[in-house]
Amino acid sequence: FAVSSSSEQTAFSAAMGACEATGQWELSLAVLARMQREGPEPNLVTYNAAALAVLAAGRLPDALALYREASADGNLTALWQDAPGSHAFPAAQLDLHRFPAELAKLAVLAELLDTAISPDGSGDGLVIVTGTGTHSPGGKSTLREAVLEWLQDELGLAAQEGDTAGTPGRVWLPAEAVSSLSQATERKS
C-alpha cells in the first residue's frame, strides 16, 4: 500500500522531535536536508520540528537561517487568505496564521531585525497578523498572546494588540519601538 505524503511528513517530524529531545540538532537538519532532496516536501510542521531542535541546542543564528531559507523557498507562506467577497484588511508585514508559537517568534525576530537595519526605516511600525482565535481553544488567539508576551516581557518592546486601524487579530509594534531596537543595533556595531 502507498504511504501518503502527510504520513511521511508526520514521521519525519517525529524523528526531528526525537532529535530535539536528545540534543542532536545536526541530525535534525540532516533529516530536513534529506526531505528537501528526496521528498516529501517539508511543510510548516517539519520546519517547526527542525527549528525547535536547533533552538533547543541554543543555536539561534542557525534557527534564524533555517527560517529565512524556508521562507525564501516559499515553504512558510500564510495558509489563510481573505474569503471571497470579504473586505480587505490593512496591510501587514508578517502573517503568522497557523504558525506554531516558537516558529512565529523566529519569524517575528527575523522581521524585526530586517526592519531595524532597513535604510527605509520602520514607517508606521511593524504589523503582525496572529489571527483572532477563531480556530483556537476557547476562541481566544493563543498565538497572539504568546507573541505579545514574548515581545513585551522577554524583548521589552512596547507591542500592542491591534494595529493603527484597530484591526483585531494583530500585534503592532509602533515605529518608536522598532526605532529603539534599531538604535540599540547601531550602538552595538
Side-chain angles (χ1 to χ4, degrees), residues 26 39 54 89 102 130 139:
E26 291 116 332
V54 174
F89 290 108
E102 292 307 312
T130 58

Side-chain angles (χ1 to χ4, degrees), residues 80-115:
W80 174 87
Q81 300 292 329
D82 282 335
S86 70
H87 69 284
F89 290 108
Q93 287 88 348
L94 191 58
D95 187 344
L96 302 177
H97 271 97
R98 308 221 191 274
F99 272 45
E102 292 307 312
L103 192 58
K105 291 175 189 176
L106 268 178
V108 171
L109 183 57
E111 191 67 33
L112 274 172
L113 291 171
D114 290 347
T115 303

